[in-house]
Amino acid sequence: IDSTGGPVWCLAGSADSSQLAAACEDGTVRFFRLFADEERIEFRRASNKQKSTTHHVMSVLLHVHEQVLIDAEHLVAERVLSVCWHPSGGSVITGGADGTIRRCEAHTGKFLFTMTSSGNNTRVWAVDVLSYVQQPVLDHGASLSHSTDRRIDCRDWTIVSGNSNGELEFWDGNVGVRFNQMRHHVGDILNIAHTIVDDEALGHHTH
């Protein structure tokens, strides 16, 4: 199936495996519905176009008897490099080539707010939403490993982003504010993984 949004930089499936989000070159996220029983995929909607706030100047040199320099200023839609689902399945988080992290409603395709990563010419290669397991209350002597009452808590909205500066940044996804930042990598952070018990986030980076 064609994304209709140009090259796809990242794919992410929802927790229930019923939805697919594609981060596209044209600055949008394309949403698809998955039908596992029928082995079918169906396009549902596209998000609003993610546009950079930076204006780019394009110079075109024409030769018509004499040289004429024409400056055409235009607004470029930045590509979406990364995307992930919130465990609830109602929203996705995107990372952009313009250094932004955005929260997008899956059922409308609207971006709710934008967060901006630090540094110049920063690319956000990886995003993730931390979720944690609600631990059951156990009697003395009981073992957690034998309990089945371990549920993912979808109320947490801690977003983690990894960028081209080697930084892990932590954001409050309810209000769009960064509350922590770590720089321990010497290269781009290309992927993020975390455990669901203690919310330990790990970044995979280039050298």
Side-chain angles (χ1 to χ4, degrees), residues 103-150:
R103 177 176 167 179
C104 178
E105 286 185 329
H107 66 284
T108 64
K110 293 181 179 179
F111 288 107
L112 300 181
F113 51 75
T114 301
M115 301 159 279
T116 304
S117 188
S118 62
N120 297 321
N121 301 317
T122 302
R123 293 174 173 81
V124 181
W125 293 113
V127 287
D128 200 2
V129 180
L130 298 186
S131 55
Y132 58 93
V133 170
Q134 291 180 307
Q135 303 286 15
V137 177
L138 302 175
D139 296 330
H140 292 293
S143 172
L144 181 62
S145 61
H146 296 301
S147 172
T148 58
D149 187 22
R150 304 177 71 190

Side-chain angles (χ1 to χ4, degrees), residues 1-40:
I1 185 170
D2 190 348
S3 73
T4 70
V8 175
W9 286 85
C10 183
L11 288 171
S14 60
D16 62 0
S17 301
S18 67
Q19 302 178 85
L20 184 70
C24 296
E25 174 80 12
D26 70 347
T28 67
V29 178
R30 295 299 207 270
F31 294 96
F32 300 87
R33 182 74 176 176
L34 303 177
F35 300 90
D37 296 339
E38 305 174 26
E39 297 184 353
R40 182 167 60 91

Side-chain angles (χ1 to χ4, degrees), residues 150-206:
R150 304 177 71 190
R151 301 184 180 92
I152 299 294
D153 192 324
C154 295
R155 295 171 298 176
D156 191 25
W157 259 108
T158 300
I159 298 169
V160 186
S161 62
N163 63 37
S164 55
N165 298 323
E167 296 169 332
L168 276 176
E169 296 178 297
F170 295 80
W171 311 81
D172 184 335
N174 288 305
V175 294
V177 175
R178 183 176 60 199
F179 63 85
N180 200 0
Q181 180 181 18
M182 296 187 299
R183 187 171 186 177
H184 299 296
H185 302 285
V186 295
D188 297 32
I189 296 178
L190 301 179
N191 198 11
I192 298 172
H194 76 275
T195 65
I196 61 174
V197 176
D198 57 8
D199 283 357
E200 181 182 52
L202 303 174
H204 177 265
H205 62 95
T206 60

